[in-house]
Amino acid sequence: MTTGIRKSIYFSAKKDADLIAFIGDIMNHYDFSREVKALMRDGLMYRTESSTQCVTNNKETHKAADFSSVRLTKDNILNDDLDEALDAF
């Protein structure tokens, strides 16, 4: 187990503008590292709870599909046909 991992986080001015606005106040008034780790832990707890709920809901609503009638066939393709298809792509 590795301890003391240090990773950089890069924020895009356009894509992450909402995050930059949110963490701007944290960086000025609080310990940034502690607050970001707390937010990450909250996100982990949220994902764990919601994924558990989704799994239980899926078990109730979905039935197993019957694939017994599906047959696989092999098509032989000539190299020239493949080259033409790739060139047209």
Side-chain angles (χ1 to χ4, degrees), residues 5 11 13 19 28 34 67-68 82:
I5 297 173
F11 295 101
L19 297 174
N28 294 329
R34 185 180 335 166
F67 293 108
S68 62
L82 183 60

Side-chain angles (χ1 to χ4, degrees), residues 3-50:
T3 59
I5 297 173
R6 177 178 280 195
K7 295 285 183 179
S8 298
I9 298 175
Y10 299 97
F11 295 101
S12 167
K14 291 182 180 179
K15 293 180 181 179
D16 301 320
D18 56 339
L19 297 174
I20 293 170
F22 183 78
I23 65 169
D25 192 44
I26 293 174
M27 290 175 60
N28 294 329
H29 300 293
Y30 302 102
D31 179 18
F32 177 75
S33 177
R34 185 180 335 166
E35 295 301 318
V36 169
K37 286 188 267 185
L39 289 169
M40 292 170 82
R41 287 185 180 102
D42 288 345
L44 286 172
M45 288 183 352
Y46 173 77
R47 284 189 174 191
T48 303
E49 290 172 3
S50 64

